Structure formats: structure tokens, C-alpha cells
């Protein structure tokens, strides 16, 4: 399973014979499609890409999406994704890439996004002609042409309805691993059913972005995997089955449209004859269930039980391997993509690198070198001074503003610049520790330079 960076929607991994090379194709469904092929020594021997906004201008996207007039609804054209796959595979073919050596493939797609296959689309998938690109053959196969993606936040009403149906936000979290979130797929499906019932009635299958991509390679509908399915507010994470209460609260006949979920490492079938005949893949090339980008990150970083990974980006993200999770109102519990008997937790903090850069500019003259010197000049614990910095509405928890507390636990309006810098860093990591422990982790201090997660 290949890793995927948070917010980078997809990646495909192919193992090869003879030269024992690994061809890795990243489907960055938010920005474009990128292919990177590396050998056994991880040396890159092939690289190419398709950028949605630049190379597929006819779809009129910005950042690979359409932001609607309400500022809340965010979608992507599903045929843009299909055509991007056509283009990148044709580029690989023209370059002489040897598809015949590919033994198996799998991948990852952005979590929460969904694709709506129109009645009859399954038959089209099984009868694809190798003489035509995918886009030409799949144009009439989708009941929703612009699909909701993870950036969408237009389903607040559906979230409240879902939580009410199961006994509240905490009950939903215990059941599915998360309270109701606007971007989660179940709430997106509920909105489509309520606002576009005709399109919903003409939908025979609903895929996640990951299982949609797998379906293209499989030539039939690929099941949703446990781990990506955990980001829908629909899967009972303990039992690995769809929650009947959640399904009923979202839309009728939803279970048959979703299909039965499977473990993330399942081989879901052999590659479609379309790819064998058009590109030269071997008929025995296996398709392994695709998963979400966040679960793939845990797998790709090779985390094990007791490990924790921190991604410091525009938003900071924590990945945790858990055996006995404690679902909470903050953060998410997903089924583990590596070990189906275990779980993973994900915590996302919106005020990440941009917040650190602001404090750098204000307190260190815009210099990371000066920022580091100021941090080193102050002692751990910051003399009891503590700060929490949220210039934009935070996700974990929902709060905004800058909040500084002195050693006497009095809120103050400002700190000296060196104290401010340490307060920011210690406050951010203290928040991460507190929320990780709330989800079932225990962080034991071993020394000043080493922590153990148990």
C-alpha cells in the first residue's frame, strides 16, 4: 500500500516482475494526476503528471474543484478524473512504459468524496472497448456529474438529523468512530437524496473516490474497504458492517447501493481486460482494494502499534495506531488498514504551519533561524506560561482566538517574544497530546528527549 499525504487525494502502487521495479501512480484528484516510478532502490526512473486546472481547462476548475455560490458546496467533475486517468496512461504508453511487468496494483483516494453510478453503468464497465478512451465510454454513466468532495461543508442540517436519529453526537461517535461531519459521505448522500431525489433513484451504486478508482481498473464495482468506509458516518467500526440506523437516517435502499465492505488488504479481482488489451497489463494483474489517503498514510509510513506520526502542514495531522479506541467528540477513529483487528485515530488541527509562520513574522522578524534561537533560549515548560493560538476557527476543538495564560493562571494579552514562541510550540503539542489521550493513547515521559506511546 502506498502512502498518501493528507489532503492529497490519491495514489496507485504497482509491483513489477524481472527488474523488480515498483511503479507508483499518484491520483491527486484535488490538483491532478502524477505518476512516479521507482526501482527497488527507490530511484525514480519515470515521472509525469496531469494538472487539472492547466491540462483539463474545459472543466473550469480551480484547485481541481468547483466552489459554488454559497461558499459551502464544493464539487469535482467525475469525468475530469476519468479523463485524467486516460491522459496519464496514454503518456506512459507513449513513453514505452512496460505495463506487462505489473503484478498487482492498489491505491488511495481522498476520503469522504463520493461518486454516483447511474443505473446500467455496471454493464458498461464490463463491456469497455479497448479501442476507445474511458471518458468516451463512461460519459453517460453518472447520475451526479459534479461529485461532493472533502472540502464541502454544506450538510450541517443533515449532520444534525443523523445525530438525532442515533441518540446524539456522542452515540454516533461510539458507533461510527466520529460525530457527524459535513464532509462525511453519509451526510453528503442524505443531502443528495433530499435535494435531488430523482438522481438518487437513478443511482445503482455509490462509490467512494477510492473504490471508484479501483472500479475503473477492475471493470466492475469495487467494494468499499473498512478503513476508508470509516470516514462516512455509516460504518459500525467494531462490527465492520453498515449501521442500519445510520443508513435509514440518510436515504432509502442505501445498503444495496453501497455494497458489502471488505478488509483493506483484500484482493478484489483481476484487472479489467480493457487495460490488458489497451495497455498491455498482464491478465493476472491483481487489484487490491483501494483505501483512503489518510489510512494509506498510516500504512505507507509503516506505523505499528504504539506508534504516532505527526504531519506538520497547513493543517497539522496526527496518525495513531490504537488497539482499544475511545471514540470522542473530537477526532476520528477508523478501522486500521493494515490490521483489521486494530484501529487508527486521526486528529486534524487547522491552525498549523500558517499559525507558526504568523508568530515567526511577529516575534522573529520573519526568520526561522531567529525563531529557533528564541525557542532554544527558553526552558521547557516556559516558566509556566502557556498559550493557545487559533487565528482561524479550529477543528479540534471548535474555538477561535489567541489565549495566553501566565504562570499564575491569569489570562494575559501578550508575552515577550521569546516566551510567545515557546508558548505557541508547547501549546500546539500539548493540545495534540491531550486529544490523543482522549482517544485512548497514553503518552509516558521517558526522558527530556524521548517519549514512548503506549
Amino acid at each position: 500500500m502506498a502512502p498518501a499525504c493528507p489532503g492529497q487525494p490519491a495514489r496507485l502502487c504497482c509491483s513489477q516482475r524481472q527488474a523488480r521495479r515498483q511503479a507508483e501512480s499518484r491520483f491527486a484528484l484535488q490538483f491532478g494526476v502524477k505518476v512516479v516510478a521507482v526501482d527497488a532502490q527507490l530511484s525514480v526512473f519515470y515521472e509525469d503528471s496531469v494538472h487539472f486546472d492547466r491540462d483539463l481547462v474545459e472543466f473550469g476548475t480551480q484547485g481541481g474543484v468547483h466552489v459554488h455560490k454559497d461558499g459551502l458546496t464544493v464539487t469535482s467533475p467525475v469525468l475530469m478524473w476519468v479523463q485524467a486517468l486516460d491522459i496519464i496512461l496514454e503518456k506512459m504508453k507513449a513513453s514505452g512504459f512496460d505495463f506487462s511487468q505489473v503484478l498487482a496494483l492498489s491505491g488511495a483516494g481522498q476520503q469522504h468524496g463520493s461518486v454516483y453510478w447511474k443505473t446500467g453503468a455496471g454493464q458498461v464497465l464490463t463491456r469497455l472497448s479497448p479501442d476507445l478512451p474511458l471518458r468516451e465510454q463512461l460519459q453517460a454513466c453518472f447520475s451526479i456529474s459534479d461529485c461532493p468532495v472533502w472540502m464541502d461543508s454544506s450538510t450541517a442540517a443533515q449532520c444534525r438529523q443523523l445525530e438525532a436519529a442515533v441518540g446524539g453526537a456522542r452515540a454516533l461517535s461510539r458507533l461510527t468512530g466520529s460525530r457527524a461531519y459535513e464532509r462525511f459521505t453519509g451526510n453528503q448522500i442524505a443531502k443528495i437524496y433530499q435535494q435531488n431525489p430523482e438522481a438518487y433513484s437513478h443511482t445503482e451504486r455509490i462509490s467512494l473516490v477510492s473504490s471508484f478508482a479501483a472500479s475503473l481498473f477492475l471493470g466492475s464495482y469495487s467494494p468499499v474497504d473498512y478503513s476508508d468506509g470509516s470516514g462516512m458516518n455509516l460504518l459500525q467500526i467494531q462490527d465492520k458492517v453498515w449501521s442500519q440506523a445510520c443508513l435509514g437516517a440518510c436515504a432509502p435502499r442505501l445498503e444495496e447501493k453501497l455494497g458489502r465492505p471488505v478488509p483493506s488488504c483484500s484482493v478484489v479481482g483481476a484487472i479489467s481486460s480493457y487495460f490488458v488489451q489497451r495497455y498491455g497489463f498482464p491478465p493476472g494483474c491483481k487489484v487490491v482494494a483501494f483505501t483512503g489517503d489518510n489510512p494509506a498514510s498510516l500504512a505507507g509510513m509503516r506505523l505499528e502499534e504504539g506508534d504516532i506520526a505527526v504531519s506538520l502542514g497547513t493543517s497539522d495531522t496526527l496518525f495513531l495506531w490504537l488497539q482499544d479506541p475511545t471514540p470522542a467528540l473530537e477526532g476520528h477513529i477508523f478501522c486500521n488498514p493494515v490490521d483489521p483487528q486494530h484501529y487508527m485515530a486521526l486528529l486534524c488541527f487547522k491552525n498549523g504551519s500558517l499559525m507558526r509562520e504568523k508568530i515567526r513574522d511577529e516575534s522573529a522578524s520573519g526568520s526561522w533561524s531567529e525563531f529557533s534561537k528564541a525557542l532554544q533560549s527558553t526552558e521547557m515548560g516556559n516558566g509556566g506560561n502557556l498559550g493557545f493560538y487559533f487565528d482561524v476557527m479550529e477543528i479540534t476543538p471548535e474555538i477561535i482566538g489567541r489565549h495566553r495564560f501566565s504562570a499564575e493562571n491569569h489570562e494575559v494579552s501578550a508575552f515577550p517574544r521569546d516566551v510567545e514562541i515557546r508558548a505557541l510550540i508547547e501549546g500546539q503539542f500539548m493540545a495534540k497530546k491531550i486529544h490523543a489521550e482522549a482517544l485512548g493513547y497514553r503518552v509516558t515521559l521517558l526522558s527530556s528527549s524521548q517519549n514512548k506511546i503506549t
Side-chain angles (χ1 to χ4, degrees):
M1 189 73 66
C5 300
Q8 295 295 324
R11 178 172 286 197
L12 169 70
C13 225
C14 305
S15 61
Q16 298 191 341
R17 296 190 190 99
Q18 295 179 355
R20 296 182 60 80
R21 285 179 170 181
Q22 181 185 62
E24 183 178 277
S25 162
R26 173 189 287 180
F27 286 64
L29 294 181
Q30 186 185 11
F31 302 108
V33 175
K34 183 176 181 181
V35 177
V36 178
V38 296
D39 60 21
Q41 285 72 46
L42 300 182
S43 299
V44 175
F45 67 88
Y46 180 88
E47 186 170 4
D48 210 338
S49 63
V50 175
H51 189 280
F52 288 154
D53 298 353
R54 183 181 62 245
D55 300 327
L56 292 162
V57 294
E58 63 268 33
F59 291 98
T61 60
Q62 292 185 340
V65 300
H66 293 143
V67 179
H68 295 230
K69 291 182 179 179
D70 62 5
L72 302 174
T73 304
V74 184
T75 59
S76 286
V78 63
L79 286 176
M80 180 179 70
W81 301 344
V82 174
Q83 188 170 343
L85 178 57
D86 281 332
I87 293 172
I88 201 66
L89 289 174
E90 290 299 328
K91 282 188 170 187
M92 296 176 74
K93 183 178 179 180
S95 75
F97 190 90
D98 189 1
F99 292 101
S100 70
Q101 301 303 306
V102 179
L103 291 175
L105 62 86
S106 187
Q110 57 166 290
Q111 285 201 275
H112 317 306
S114 47
V115 175
Y116 300 78
W117 299 89
K118 186 182 293 184
T119 301
Q123 292 185 350
V124 176
L125 275 175
T126 63
R127 301 172 182 172
L128 294 172
S129 168
D131 298 326
L132 298 171
L134 291 171
R135 185 191 172 180
E136 286 189 30
Q137 302 182 74
L138 299 178
Q139 288 190 70
C141 285
F142 304 102
S143 52
I144 300 291
S145 59
D146 254 33
C147 297
V149 294
W150 70 273
M151 298 167 66
D152 188 281
S153 57
S154 65
T155 63
Q158 288 75 24
C159 288
R160 303 293 81 77
Q161 292 165 9
L162 178 58
E163 289 178 345
V166 299
R170 194 170 295 278
L172 182 64
S173 178
R174 287 195 295 268
L175 189 65
T176 70
S178 303
R179 63 174 174 85
Y181 283 87
E182 286 86 350
R183 66 186 183 276
F184 274 39
T185 322
N187 306 302
Q188 297 291 338
I189 294 170
K191 177 189 171 184
I192 287 173
Y193 168 66
Q194 293 170 16
Q195 298 186 2
N196 197 347
E198 183 177 1
Y200 181 82
S201 68
H202 292 156
T203 299
E204 72 177 16
R205 184 75 168 208
I206 300 174
S207 294
L208 296 180
V209 174
S210 58
S211 59
F212 157 74
S215 298
L216 296 179
F217 283 101
L218 196 60
S220 60
Y221 294 139
S222 176
V224 172
D225 77 289
Y226 291 160
S227 200
D228 204 9
S230 306
M232 300 175 73
N233 277 146
L234 294 177
L235 188 76
Q236 293 180 195
I237 59 171
Q238 297 285 348
D239 304 318
K240 282 45 170 208
V241 297
W242 301 122
S243 163
Q244 295 302 313
C246 294
L247 294 174
C250 290
R253 297 174 33 243
L254 183 51
E255 186 169 15
E256 66 185 71
K257 296 180 189 291
L258 292 173
R260 180 178 297 179
V262 298
S264 301
C265 295
S266 301
V267 175
V268 294
I271 195 167
S272 166
S273 61
Y274 172 86
F275 295 94
V276 175
Q277 297 175 48
R278 187 173 177 89
Y279 297 106
F281 282 87
C285 176
K286 295 179 174 61
V287 179
V288 180
F290 286 30
T291 192
D293 55 349
N294 291 310
S297 293
L298 179 135
M301 287 187 289
R302 302 179 66 187
L303 298 189
E304 299 176 352
E305 185 177 358
D307 288 344
I308 183 170
V310 183
S311 172
L312 300 176
T314 304
S315 292
D316 289 349
T317 306
L318 261 68
F319 299 95
L320 318 169
W321 182 300
L322 294 172
Q323 184 171 1
D324 298 306
T326 307
L329 294 181
E330 308 294 345
H332 312 291
I333 302 294
F334 299 146
C335 297
N336 192 302
V338 178
D339 185 342
Q341 302 306 313
H342 288 191
Y343 300 86
M344 66 168 286
L346 180 124
L347 287 162
C348 187
F349 302 85
K350 186 178 290 186
N351 291 268
S353 64
L354 297 182
M355 189 69 250
R356 289 186 289 274
E357 289 169 8
K358 283 187 178 181
I359 298 299
R360 175 204 64 187
D361 294 344
E362 295 170 8
S363 300
S365 303
S367 167
W368 283 121
S369 176
E370 293 302 316
F371 185 97
S372 297
K373 289 179 181 178
L375 187 62
Q376 294 167 0
S377 72
T378 50
E379 295 183 355
M380 290 178 59
N382 210 18
N385 296 297
L386 183 63
F388 298 99
Y389 300 80
F390 312 111
D391 276 11
V392 296
M393 179 61 72
E394 184 53 72
I395 300 171
T396 312
E398 291 186 355
I399 189 173
I400 194 168
R402 298 187 184 186
H403 308 275
R404 302 174 182 89
F405 298 89
S406 67
E408 292 75 29
N409 201 28
H410 296 143
E411 189 158 6
V412 296
S413 60
F415 284 141
R417 289 197 289 183
D418 56 344
V419 174
E420 178 94 321
I421 288 170
R422 179 166 286 278
L424 166 72
I425 298 302
E426 289 191 349
Q428 286 188 333
F429 277 86
M430 180 179 291
K432 292 173 175 59
K433 175 179 181 290
I434 290 170
H435 287 288
E437 291 177 330
L439 291 174
Y441 257 71
R442 287 184 296 111
V443 182
T444 304
L445 183 66
L446 297 182
S447 69
S448 61
S449 60
Q450 182 182 24
N451 279 337
K452 181 180 180 182
I453 311 300
T454 61

